[in-house]
Short mmCIF file of all heavy atoms in Angstrom, two decimals:
data_model
loop_
_atom_site.label_atom_id
_atom_site.label_comp_id
_atom_site.label_asym_id
_atom_site.label_seq_id
_atom_site.Cartn_x
_atom_site.Cartn_y
_atom_site.Cartn_z
N MET A 1 6.29 0.78 -112.70
CA MET A 1 6.27 0.37 -111.29
C MET A 1 6.89 -1.08 -111.18
O MET A 1 6.60 -1.86 -111.96
CB MET A 1 4.79 0.24 -110.78
CG MET A 1 4.65 0.16 -109.31
SD MET A 1 2.81 0.31 -108.77
CE MET A 1 2.31 1.84 -109.33
N THR A 2 7.74 -1.37 -110.18
CA THR A 2 8.38 -2.56 -110.06
C THR A 2 7.54 -3.55 -109.33
O THR A 2 6.70 -3.18 -108.45
CB THR A 2 9.69 -2.47 -109.42
OG1 THR A 2 9.55 -1.86 -108.13
CG2 THR A 2 10.56 -1.67 -110.27
N HIS A 3 7.82 -4.85 -109.49
CA HIS A 3 7.13 -5.92 -108.68
C HIS A 3 7.58 -5.96 -107.28
O HIS A 3 8.69 -6.03 -107.10
CB HIS A 3 7.28 -7.30 -109.37
CG HIS A 3 6.65 -8.36 -108.71
ND1 HIS A 3 5.25 -8.58 -108.55
CD2 HIS A 3 7.25 -9.41 -108.08
CE1 HIS A 3 5.06 -9.57 -107.91
NE2 HIS A 3 6.19 -10.23 -107.54
N ASP A 4 6.70 -6.02 -106.40
CA ASP A 4 6.97 -5.92 -104.95
C ASP A 4 5.79 -6.63 -104.18
O ASP A 4 4.84 -5.90 -103.93
CB ASP A 4 7.29 -4.47 -104.50
CG ASP A 4 7.78 -4.52 -102.98
OD1 ASP A 4 7.70 -5.53 -102.35
OD2 ASP A 4 8.18 -3.44 -102.73
N PRO A 5 5.88 -7.92 -104.04
CA PRO A 5 4.75 -8.62 -103.54
C PRO A 5 4.23 -8.41 -102.16
O PRO A 5 3.11 -8.71 -101.78
CB PRO A 5 5.15 -10.18 -103.66
CG PRO A 5 6.69 -10.02 -103.56
CD PRO A 5 7.12 -8.77 -104.21
N VAL A 6 5.03 -7.92 -101.32
CA VAL A 6 4.56 -7.77 -99.91
C VAL A 6 4.34 -6.26 -99.41
O VAL A 6 3.87 -6.01 -98.39
CB VAL A 6 5.64 -8.32 -98.81
CG1 VAL A 6 5.63 -9.84 -99.03
CG2 VAL A 6 6.98 -7.67 -98.97
N THR A 7 4.48 -5.32 -100.48
CA THR A 7 4.26 -3.95 -100.12
C THR A 7 2.73 -3.67 -100.29
O THR A 7 2.13 -4.01 -101.19
CB THR A 7 5.04 -3.04 -101.13
OG1 THR A 7 6.42 -3.26 -101.09
CG2 THR A 7 4.70 -1.56 -100.74
N PRO A 8 2.21 -3.15 -99.21
CA PRO A 8 0.74 -2.73 -99.20
C PRO A 8 0.39 -1.83 -100.39
O PRO A 8 1.24 -1.05 -100.82
CB PRO A 8 0.48 -2.03 -97.83
CG PRO A 8 1.63 -2.44 -97.00
CD PRO A 8 2.78 -2.73 -97.91
N ILE A 9 -0.87 -2.00 -100.79
CA ILE A 9 -1.28 -1.30 -102.03
C ILE A 9 -1.13 0.25 -102.02
O ILE A 9 -0.75 0.94 -102.92
CB ILE A 9 -2.72 -1.67 -102.45
CG1 ILE A 9 -3.09 -1.19 -103.86
CG2 ILE A 9 -3.67 -1.18 -101.46
CD1 ILE A 9 -2.49 -2.04 -104.88
N MET A 10 -1.42 0.81 -100.82
CA MET A 10 -1.16 2.31 -100.55
C MET A 10 0.24 2.65 -100.76
O MET A 10 0.46 3.76 -101.52
CB MET A 10 -1.60 2.67 -99.26
CG MET A 10 -1.74 4.10 -99.03
SD MET A 10 -2.22 4.72 -97.49
CE MET A 10 -0.76 4.57 -96.46
N ILE A 11 1.17 1.87 -100.53
CA ILE A 11 2.47 2.27 -100.65
C ILE A 11 2.89 2.17 -102.15
O ILE A 11 3.75 2.92 -102.59
CB ILE A 11 3.37 1.29 -99.75
CG1 ILE A 11 3.11 1.37 -98.25
CG2 ILE A 11 4.88 1.61 -100.08
CD1 ILE A 11 3.27 2.73 -97.80
N LYS A 12 2.26 1.13 -102.77
CA LYS A 12 2.65 1.03 -104.33
C LYS A 12 2.26 2.32 -104.99
O LYS A 12 2.92 2.75 -105.92
CB LYS A 12 1.91 -0.10 -104.79
CG LYS A 12 2.42 -1.54 -104.45
CD LYS A 12 1.70 -2.59 -105.09
CE LYS A 12 2.33 -4.01 -104.65
NZ LYS A 12 1.57 -5.11 -105.12
N PHE A 13 1.22 2.98 -104.56
CA PHE A 13 0.87 4.16 -105.27
C PHE A 13 1.37 5.35 -104.63
O PHE A 13 1.43 6.42 -105.28
CB PHE A 13 -0.77 4.32 -105.15
CG PHE A 13 -1.36 3.28 -106.07
CD1 PHE A 13 -2.02 2.11 -105.58
CD2 PHE A 13 -1.42 3.50 -107.49
CE1 PHE A 13 -2.59 1.20 -106.39
CE2 PHE A 13 -2.06 2.62 -108.31
CZ PHE A 13 -2.50 1.43 -107.79
N THR A 14 1.95 5.31 -103.50
CA THR A 14 2.71 6.41 -102.79
C THR A 14 4.17 6.60 -103.24
O THR A 14 4.73 7.59 -103.38
CB THR A 14 2.72 6.24 -101.29
OG1 THR A 14 1.31 6.19 -100.90
CG2 THR A 14 3.29 7.44 -100.65
N MET A 15 4.80 5.39 -103.64
CA MET A 15 6.16 5.32 -103.98
C MET A 15 6.49 6.13 -105.22
O MET A 15 7.48 6.92 -105.27
CB MET A 15 6.69 3.87 -103.99
CG MET A 15 7.02 3.33 -102.79
SD MET A 15 8.11 4.43 -101.69
CE MET A 15 9.57 4.45 -102.60
N PRO A 16 5.71 6.08 -106.33
CA PRO A 16 6.28 6.74 -107.50
C PRO A 16 6.41 8.23 -107.29
O PRO A 16 7.45 8.82 -107.74
CB PRO A 16 5.00 6.45 -108.55
CG PRO A 16 4.50 5.13 -108.18
CD PRO A 16 4.65 5.18 -106.62
N PRO A 17 5.54 8.95 -106.67
CA PRO A 17 5.76 10.38 -106.33
C PRO A 17 7.04 10.65 -105.43
O PRO A 17 7.84 11.54 -105.70
CB PRO A 17 4.50 10.92 -105.75
CG PRO A 17 3.50 9.97 -105.93
CD PRO A 17 4.14 8.69 -106.17
N LEU A 18 7.23 9.71 -104.45
CA LEU A 18 8.35 9.84 -103.62
C LEU A 18 9.66 9.66 -104.38
O LEU A 18 10.68 10.29 -104.33
CB LEU A 18 8.23 8.89 -102.40
CG LEU A 18 7.18 9.18 -101.43
CD1 LEU A 18 7.17 8.16 -100.35
CD2 LEU A 18 7.39 10.56 -100.71
N GLU A 19 9.70 8.54 -105.32
CA GLU A 19 10.90 8.31 -106.18
C GLU A 19 11.10 9.56 -107.14
O GLU A 19 12.23 9.72 -107.33
CB GLU A 19 10.59 7.00 -106.96
CG GLU A 19 10.58 5.78 -106.04
CD GLU A 19 10.07 4.56 -106.81
OE1 GLU A 19 9.54 4.57 -107.84
OE2 GLU A 19 10.33 3.43 -106.20
N LYS A 20 10.04 10.18 -107.56
CA LYS A 20 10.19 11.25 -108.46
C LYS A 20 10.91 12.44 -107.73
O LYS A 20 11.70 13.16 -108.44
CB LYS A 20 8.80 11.62 -108.82
CG LYS A 20 8.87 12.64 -110.04
CD LYS A 20 7.36 12.81 -110.52
CE LYS A 20 7.31 13.72 -111.76
NZ LYS A 20 6.05 13.93 -112.28
N ILE A 21 10.72 12.58 -106.45
CA ILE A 21 11.36 13.64 -105.73
C ILE A 21 12.77 13.07 -105.17
O ILE A 21 13.38 13.78 -104.36
CB ILE A 21 10.51 14.28 -104.73
CG1 ILE A 21 10.11 13.38 -103.66
CG2 ILE A 21 9.35 15.01 -105.40
CD1 ILE A 21 9.27 14.08 -102.52
N GLY A 22 13.21 11.90 -105.32
CA GLY A 22 14.54 11.43 -105.00
C GLY A 22 14.56 10.60 -103.86
O GLY A 22 15.63 10.21 -103.36
N TRP A 23 13.43 10.15 -103.24
CA TRP A 23 13.50 9.26 -102.08
C TRP A 23 13.94 7.86 -102.60
O TRP A 23 13.49 7.38 -103.52
CB TRP A 23 12.13 9.23 -101.46
CG TRP A 23 11.83 10.43 -100.60
CD1 TRP A 23 12.09 11.59 -100.84
CD2 TRP A 23 11.19 10.29 -99.28
NE1 TRP A 23 11.51 12.38 -99.94
CE2 TRP A 23 10.99 11.66 -98.92
CE3 TRP A 23 10.58 9.32 -98.60
CZ2 TRP A 23 10.31 12.02 -97.73
CZ3 TRP A 23 9.87 9.66 -97.31
CH2 TRP A 23 9.87 10.90 -96.96
N THR A 24 14.84 7.16 -101.74
CA THR A 24 15.21 5.90 -101.96
C THR A 24 14.45 4.87 -101.22
O THR A 24 13.79 5.24 -100.19
CB THR A 24 16.83 5.73 -101.80
OG1 THR A 24 16.94 5.84 -100.42
CG2 THR A 24 17.52 6.72 -102.56
N ASP A 25 14.63 3.53 -101.54
CA ASP A 25 14.04 2.44 -100.71
C ASP A 25 14.57 2.38 -99.28
O ASP A 25 13.88 1.92 -98.46
CB ASP A 25 14.20 1.16 -101.38
CG ASP A 25 13.35 0.94 -102.67
OD1 ASP A 25 12.38 1.77 -102.80
OD2 ASP A 25 13.58 0.00 -103.40
N ASP A 26 15.67 2.98 -99.02
CA ASP A 26 16.28 2.94 -97.62
C ASP A 26 15.70 4.09 -96.83
O ASP A 26 15.90 4.27 -95.58
CB ASP A 26 17.82 3.14 -97.71
CG ASP A 26 18.38 1.88 -98.13
OD1 ASP A 26 17.94 0.73 -97.93
OD2 ASP A 26 19.50 1.87 -98.92
N GLN A 27 15.03 5.10 -97.42
CA GLN A 27 14.42 6.16 -96.73
C GLN A 27 12.91 5.91 -96.45
O GLN A 27 12.27 6.80 -95.85
CB GLN A 27 14.48 7.46 -97.55
CG GLN A 27 16.02 7.91 -97.67
CD GLN A 27 16.09 9.05 -98.72
OE1 GLN A 27 15.73 9.05 -99.81
NE2 GLN A 27 16.75 10.15 -98.26
N VAL A 28 12.39 4.77 -97.06
CA VAL A 28 11.00 4.53 -96.80
C VAL A 28 10.87 3.35 -95.75
O VAL A 28 11.40 2.27 -96.06
CB VAL A 28 10.31 4.14 -98.16
CG1 VAL A 28 8.81 3.78 -97.99
CG2 VAL A 28 10.36 5.36 -99.08
N TYR A 29 9.99 3.51 -94.78
CA TYR A 29 9.81 2.57 -93.71
C TYR A 29 8.42 2.03 -93.94
O TYR A 29 7.50 2.77 -93.99
CB TYR A 29 10.14 3.14 -92.35
CG TYR A 29 11.60 3.41 -92.21
CD1 TYR A 29 12.12 4.59 -92.57
CD2 TYR A 29 12.38 2.41 -91.63
CE1 TYR A 29 13.49 4.90 -92.46
CE2 TYR A 29 13.77 2.71 -91.39
CZ TYR A 29 14.26 3.93 -91.88
OH TYR A 29 15.63 4.06 -91.71
N LEU A 30 8.29 0.63 -93.67
CA LEU A 30 6.98 -0.05 -93.83
C LEU A 30 6.77 -0.82 -92.58
O LEU A 30 7.69 -1.41 -92.09
CB LEU A 30 6.92 -0.86 -95.02
CG LEU A 30 7.29 -0.31 -96.38
CD1 LEU A 30 7.36 -1.39 -97.41
CD2 LEU A 30 6.08 0.62 -96.85
N SER A 31 5.50 -0.80 -92.04
CA SER A 31 5.21 -1.64 -90.96
C SER A 31 4.36 -2.83 -91.51
O SER A 31 3.45 -2.66 -92.22
CB SER A 31 4.42 -0.95 -89.87
OG SER A 31 4.01 -1.89 -88.92
N LEU A 32 4.79 -4.06 -91.14
CA LEU A 32 4.09 -5.26 -91.58
C LEU A 32 3.26 -5.89 -90.38
O LEU A 32 3.01 -7.07 -90.42
CB LEU A 32 5.09 -6.34 -92.20
CG LEU A 32 5.90 -5.78 -93.30
CD1 LEU A 32 6.77 -6.99 -93.86
CD2 LEU A 32 5.08 -5.35 -94.42
N GLU A 33 3.02 -5.05 -89.36
CA GLU A 33 2.42 -5.56 -88.22
C GLU A 33 1.03 -6.17 -88.40
O GLU A 33 0.41 -6.90 -87.56
CB GLU A 33 2.36 -4.59 -87.10
CG GLU A 33 1.40 -3.39 -87.35
CD GLU A 33 1.59 -2.26 -86.39
OE1 GLU A 33 2.72 -1.94 -85.91
OE2 GLU A 33 0.53 -1.66 -86.04
N ASN A 34 0.39 -5.87 -89.57
CA ASN A 34 -0.91 -6.40 -89.91
C ASN A 34 -0.80 -7.94 -89.95
O ASN A 34 -1.86 -8.69 -89.92
CB ASN A 34 -1.57 -5.82 -91.09
CG ASN A 34 -0.70 -6.19 -92.37
OD1 ASN A 34 0.56 -6.16 -92.23
ND2 ASN A 34 -1.30 -6.28 -93.52
N ARG A 35 0.31 -8.55 -90.18
CA ARG A 35 0.45 -10.03 -90.25
C ARG A 35 0.54 -10.51 -88.94
O ARG A 35 0.47 -11.85 -88.70
CB ARG A 35 1.76 -10.26 -90.93
CG ARG A 35 1.78 -9.79 -92.45
CD ARG A 35 3.01 -10.12 -93.09
NE ARG A 35 3.15 -11.52 -93.29
CZ ARG A 35 2.72 -12.29 -94.26
NH1 ARG A 35 2.05 -11.67 -95.14
NH2 ARG A 35 2.92 -13.52 -94.29
N MET A 36 0.74 -9.85 -87.75
CA MET A 36 1.04 -10.38 -86.51
C MET A 36 -0.27 -10.82 -85.76
O MET A 36 -1.21 -10.22 -85.95
CB MET A 36 1.70 -9.19 -85.62
CG MET A 36 3.15 -9.12 -86.13
SD MET A 36 3.96 -7.55 -85.37
CE MET A 36 3.48 -7.51 -83.83
N LYS A 37 -0.17 -11.86 -84.89
CA LYS A 37 -1.11 -12.37 -83.96
C LYS A 37 -0.73 -12.38 -82.56
O LYS A 37 -1.23 -11.64 -81.71
CB LYS A 37 -1.60 -13.77 -84.40
CG LYS A 37 -2.33 -13.88 -85.79
CD LYS A 37 -3.76 -13.50 -85.67
CE LYS A 37 -4.48 -13.74 -86.98
NZ LYS A 37 -5.76 -13.17 -86.92
N CYS A 38 0.35 -13.22 -82.27
CA CYS A 38 0.61 -13.36 -80.84
C CYS A 38 1.70 -12.34 -80.34
O CYS A 38 1.71 -12.04 -79.19
CB CYS A 38 1.20 -14.75 -80.51
SG CYS A 38 2.87 -15.03 -81.27
N ASP A 39 2.50 -11.81 -81.32
CA ASP A 39 3.46 -10.85 -80.96
C ASP A 39 4.66 -11.27 -80.00
O ASP A 39 5.23 -10.66 -79.34
CB ASP A 39 2.80 -9.57 -80.31
CG ASP A 39 3.80 -8.40 -80.28
OD1 ASP A 39 4.80 -8.37 -81.10
OD2 ASP A 39 3.63 -7.56 -79.28
N GLU A 40 4.75 -12.77 -79.87
CA GLU A 40 5.59 -13.38 -78.90
C GLU A 40 6.61 -14.33 -79.77
O GLU A 40 7.36 -14.98 -78.97
CB GLU A 40 4.78 -14.22 -77.89
CG GLU A 40 3.80 -13.34 -77.06
CD GLU A 40 4.53 -12.52 -76.05
OE1 GLU A 40 5.71 -12.90 -75.67
OE2 GLU A 40 4.09 -11.48 -75.57
N GLY A 41 6.55 -14.36 -81.02
CA GLY A 41 7.24 -15.36 -81.68
C GLY A 41 6.87 -16.76 -81.54
O GLY A 41 7.60 -17.74 -81.70
N LEU A 42 5.59 -17.08 -81.15
CA LEU A 42 5.11 -18.38 -80.85
C LEU A 42 4.21 -18.95 -81.93
O LEU A 42 4.27 -20.17 -82.18
CB LEU A 42 4.34 -18.38 -79.54
CG LEU A 42 5.10 -17.84 -78.34
CD1 LEU A 42 4.11 -17.86 -77.15
CD2 LEU A 42 6.21 -18.85 -78.03
N CYS A 43 3.41 -18.17 -82.52
CA CYS A 43 2.40 -18.69 -83.61
C CYS A 43 2.91 -18.94 -84.95
O CYS A 43 2.28 -19.59 -85.79
CB CYS A 43 1.07 -17.83 -83.44
SG CYS A 43 1.34 -16.17 -84.26
N CYS A 44 3.99 -18.07 -85.39
CA CYS A 44 4.38 -18.16 -86.69
C CYS A 44 3.49 -17.58 -87.71
O CYS A 44 3.69 -17.88 -88.81
CB CYS A 44 5.00 -19.54 -87.16
SG CYS A 44 6.38 -20.06 -86.19
N HIS A 45 2.42 -16.98 -87.25
CA HIS A 45 1.48 -16.34 -88.20
C HIS A 45 1.98 -15.18 -88.99
O HIS A 45 1.64 -14.91 -90.14
CB HIS A 45 0.24 -15.89 -87.38
CG HIS A 45 -0.92 -15.41 -88.33
ND1 HIS A 45 -0.96 -14.08 -88.72
CD2 HIS A 45 -1.92 -16.04 -88.87
CE1 HIS A 45 -2.05 -13.91 -89.51
NE2 HIS A 45 -2.63 -15.17 -89.67
N CYS A 46 3.08 -14.57 -88.48
CA CYS A 46 3.76 -13.35 -89.09
C CYS A 46 4.84 -13.71 -90.07
O CYS A 46 5.47 -12.77 -90.48
CB CYS A 46 4.06 -12.47 -88.02
SG CYS A 46 5.49 -13.03 -86.94
N ASN A 47 5.24 -14.95 -90.14
CA ASN A 47 6.31 -15.16 -90.92
C ASN A 47 6.26 -14.79 -92.40
O ASN A 47 5.23 -14.93 -92.97
CB ASN A 47 6.76 -16.63 -90.75
CG ASN A 47 6.01 -17.62 -91.70
OD1 ASN A 47 4.77 -17.67 -91.53
ND2 ASN A 47 6.64 -18.24 -92.57
N VAL A 48 7.30 -14.24 -92.87
CA VAL A 48 7.45 -14.15 -94.30
C VAL A 48 8.73 -14.74 -94.64
O VAL A 48 9.88 -14.20 -94.43
CB VAL A 48 7.45 -12.59 -94.71
CG1 VAL A 48 7.65 -12.40 -96.12
CG2 VAL A 48 6.31 -11.78 -94.13
N GLY A 49 8.74 -15.98 -95.20
CA GLY A 49 9.79 -16.75 -95.27
C GLY A 49 10.45 -17.03 -93.93
O GLY A 49 9.68 -17.32 -93.02
N PRO A 50 11.75 -16.86 -93.81
CA PRO A 50 12.36 -17.13 -92.51
C PRO A 50 12.19 -15.96 -91.53
O PRO A 50 12.61 -16.17 -90.33
CB PRO A 50 13.80 -17.33 -92.86
CG PRO A 50 13.98 -16.60 -94.15
CD PRO A 50 12.83 -16.69 -94.81
N THR A 51 11.62 -14.86 -91.92
CA THR A 51 11.57 -13.64 -91.15
C THR A 51 10.23 -13.72 -90.34
O THR A 51 9.21 -13.88 -90.84
CB THR A 51 11.59 -12.44 -92.12
OG1 THR A 51 12.90 -12.41 -92.79
CG2 THR A 51 11.46 -11.23 -91.19
N LEU A 52 10.42 -13.49 -89.01
CA LEU A 52 9.29 -13.31 -88.17
C LEU A 52 9.05 -11.80 -87.99
O LEU A 52 9.90 -11.22 -87.36
CB LEU A 52 9.45 -13.99 -86.75
CG LEU A 52 9.36 -15.44 -86.77
CD1 LEU A 52 9.55 -16.04 -85.26
CD2 LEU A 52 7.95 -15.99 -87.28
N VAL A 53 7.98 -11.28 -88.43
CA VAL A 53 7.62 -9.87 -88.49
C VAL A 53 7.73 -9.42 -86.94
O VAL A 53 8.31 -8.29 -86.71
CB VAL A 53 6.39 -9.49 -89.10
CG1 VAL A 53 6.00 -8.09 -88.83
CG2 VAL A 53 6.46 -9.86 -90.61
N CYS A 54 7.08 -10.16 -86.03
CA CYS A 54 7.06 -9.71 -84.60
C CYS A 54 8.40 -9.63 -83.96
O CYS A 54 8.65 -8.88 -83.10
CB CYS A 54 6.06 -10.55 -83.83
SG CYS A 54 6.59 -12.22 -83.62
N LYS A 55 9.37 -10.36 -84.47
CA LYS A 55 10.65 -10.52 -83.81
C LYS A 55 11.76 -9.68 -84.50
O LYS A 55 12.60 -8.97 -83.95
CB LYS A 55 11.14 -11.92 -83.58
CG LYS A 55 10.40 -12.75 -82.74
CD LYS A 55 10.65 -12.13 -81.35
CE LYS A 55 9.91 -13.06 -80.23
NZ LYS A 55 9.91 -12.40 -78.98
N ASP A 56 11.75 -9.66 -85.81
CA ASP A 56 12.82 -8.91 -86.75
C ASP A 56 12.20 -7.65 -87.10
O ASP A 56 12.99 -6.71 -87.58
CB ASP A 56 12.84 -9.93 -87.95
CG ASP A 56 13.38 -11.24 -87.71
OD1 ASP A 56 14.24 -11.39 -86.72
OD2 ASP A 56 13.03 -12.24 -88.30
N GLY A 57 10.96 -7.28 -86.97
CA GLY A 57 10.41 -5.93 -87.26
C GLY A 57 9.66 -5.47 -86.06
O GLY A 57 10.09 -5.54 -84.97
N PRO A 58 8.46 -4.91 -86.34
CA PRO A 58 7.63 -5.04 -87.43
C PRO A 58 7.92 -3.94 -88.52
O PRO A 58 7.35 -4.04 -89.58
CB PRO A 58 6.20 -4.83 -87.02
CG PRO A 58 6.36 -3.92 -85.80
CD PRO A 58 7.64 -4.36 -85.18
N VAL A 59 8.93 -2.97 -88.31
CA VAL A 59 9.10 -1.98 -89.13
C VAL A 59 10.27 -2.35 -89.98
O VAL A 59 11.40 -2.64 -89.36
CB VAL A 59 9.36 -0.68 -88.47
CG1 VAL A 59 9.68 0.41 -89.35
CG2 VAL A 59 8.04 -0.26 -87.68
N PHE A 60 10.31 -2.26 -91.24
CA PHE A 60 11.44 -2.62 -92.10
C PHE A 60 11.51 -1.47 -93.20
O PHE A 60 10.54 -0.62 -93.42
CB PHE A 60 11.10 -3.79 -92.94
CG PHE A 60 10.77 -5.07 -92.09
CD1 PHE A 60 9.61 -5.32 -91.66
CD2 PHE A 60 11.90 -5.93 -91.73
CE1 PHE A 60 9.37 -6.49 -90.83
CE2 PHE A 60 11.63 -7.10 -91.01
CZ PHE A 60 10.34 -7.34 -90.54
N THR A 61 12.74 -1.30 -93.67
CA THR A 61 12.86 -0.40 -94.90
C THR A 61 12.32 -1.08 -96.07
O THR A 61 12.19 -2.27 -96.11
CB THR A 61 14.37 -0.07 -95.11
OG1 THR A 61 15.09 -1.23 -95.52
CG2 THR A 61 15.04 0.56 -93.86
N ARG A 62 11.98 -0.34 -97.06
CA ARG A 62 11.46 -0.88 -98.28
C ARG A 62 12.51 -1.81 -98.96
O ARG A 62 12.17 -2.82 -99.44
CB ARG A 62 11.00 0.23 -99.25
CG ARG A 62 10.23 -0.39 -100.42
CD ARG A 62 9.47 0.78 -101.29
NE ARG A 62 8.67 0.08 -102.17
CZ ARG A 62 8.63 0.30 -103.42
NH1 ARG A 62 9.52 1.22 -103.92
NH2 ARG A 62 7.75 -0.24 -104.25
N SER A 63 13.75 -1.59 -98.75
CA SER A 63 14.86 -2.33 -99.31
C SER A 63 14.74 -3.72 -98.67
O SER A 63 14.93 -4.75 -99.22
CB SER A 63 16.27 -1.73 -98.95
OG SER A 63 16.42 -0.57 -99.64
N GLN A 64 14.59 -3.72 -97.36
CA GLN A 64 14.52 -4.97 -96.61
C GLN A 64 13.19 -5.75 -97.07
O GLN A 64 13.30 -6.93 -97.25
CB GLN A 64 14.37 -4.77 -95.09
CG GLN A 64 15.62 -4.25 -94.52
CD GLN A 64 15.42 -3.87 -93.04
OE1 GLN A 64 14.46 -3.07 -92.70
NE2 GLN A 64 16.26 -4.36 -92.03
N VAL A 65 12.16 -5.07 -97.24
CA VAL A 65 10.89 -5.78 -97.74
C VAL A 65 11.08 -6.36 -99.11
O VAL A 65 10.67 -7.43 -99.32
CB VAL A 65 9.71 -4.81 -97.67
CG1 VAL A 65 8.45 -5.35 -98.37
CG2 VAL A 65 9.44 -4.37 -96.31
N ARG A 66 11.86 -5.73 -99.92
CA ARG A 66 12.10 -6.25 -101.28
C ARG A 66 12.96 -7.56 -101.21
O ARG A 66 12.89 -8.32 -102.17
CB ARG A 66 12.85 -5.28 -102.16
CG ARG A 66 11.96 -4.16 -102.65
CD ARG A 66 12.79 -3.21 -103.49
NE ARG A 66 12.08 -2.01 -103.92
CZ ARG A 66 11.20 -2.05 -105.03
NH1 ARG A 66 11.00 -3.14 -105.77
NH2 ARG A 66 10.58 -0.97 -105.36
N GLN A 67 13.67 -7.72 -100.09
CA GLN A 67 14.44 -8.97 -99.93
C GLN A 67 13.56 -10.23 -99.45
O GLN A 67 14.07 -11.32 -99.61
CB GLN A 67 15.62 -8.68 -98.98
CG GLN A 67 16.56 -7.64 -99.31
CD GLN A 67 17.20 -7.89 -100.68
OE1 GLN A 67 17.73 -9.10 -100.97
NE2 GLN A 67 17.35 -6.85 -101.48
N LEU A 68 12.40 -9.81 -98.99
CA LEU A 68 11.63 -10.91 -98.48
C LEU A 68 10.97 -11.80 -99.64
O LEU A 68 10.73 -11.24 -100.73
CB LEU A 68 10.48 -10.35 -97.60
CG LEU A 68 10.90 -9.52 -96.37
CD1 LEU A 68 9.67 -8.93 -95.69
CD2 LEU A 68 11.62 -10.50 -95.46
N PRO A 69 10.67 -13.08 -99.33
CA PRO A 69 10.20 -13.86 -100.31
C PRO A 69 8.64 -13.58 -100.67
O PRO A 69 8.00 -12.93 -99.85
CB PRO A 69 10.22 -15.31 -99.82
CG PRO A 69 10.35 -15.08 -98.29
CD PRO A 69 10.93 -13.80 -98.15
N VAL A 70 8.23 -13.99 -101.85
CA VAL A 70 6.82 -13.62 -102.23
C VAL A 70 5.93 -14.48 -101.28
O VAL A 70 6.02 -15.67 -101.13
CB VAL A 70 6.51 -14.11 -103.60
CG1 VAL A 70 5.07 -13.99 -104.06
CG2 VAL A 70 7.56 -13.36 -104.66
N GLU A 71 4.95 -13.73 -100.71
CA GLU A 71 4.10 -14.41 -99.77
C GLU A 71 2.64 -14.19 -100.04
O GLU A 71 1.74 -14.87 -99.69
CB GLU A 71 4.33 -13.90 -98.36
CG GLU A 71 5.67 -14.33 -97.68
CD GLU A 71 5.64 -15.77 -97.35
OE1 GLU A 71 4.66 -16.28 -96.87
OE2 GLU A 71 6.63 -16.46 -97.47
N TYR A 72 2.37 -13.11 -100.87
CA TYR A 72 0.93 -12.90 -101.15
C TYR A 72 0.65 -13.43 -102.56
O TYR A 72 1.45 -13.43 -103.48
CB TYR A 72 0.67 -11.36 -101.12
CG TYR A 72 0.72 -10.72 -99.73
CD1 TYR A 72 1.61 -9.83 -99.40
CD2 TYR A 72 -0.20 -11.18 -98.77
CE1 TYR A 72 1.62 -9.19 -98.20
CE2 TYR A 72 -0.18 -10.68 -97.54
CZ TYR A 72 0.68 -9.66 -97.22
OH TYR A 72 0.77 -9.11 -96.01
S1 FES B 101 2.99 -12.77 -84.20
FE1 FES B 101 3.11 -14.94 -83.66
S2 FES B 101 5.11 -15.43 -84.13
FE2 FES B 101 4.99 -13.40 -84.86
#
């Protein structure tokens, strides 16, 4: 299992079987909306590095999530 600091734990355990049947990181979508508070781009509670989840997402491919800086 590879290091992926922002992927929720359930996804970490779901990915190995999906990878085994050939799914790629571009085929897996994750929602990071649990980080959001105002949903208006005002509070910066949802930032992961320079990315505002409420403005740039909240849904990202797993490939995109892997590009985000370590936040947890
Ligand atoms: S939820 Fe407040 S800035 Fe994104």
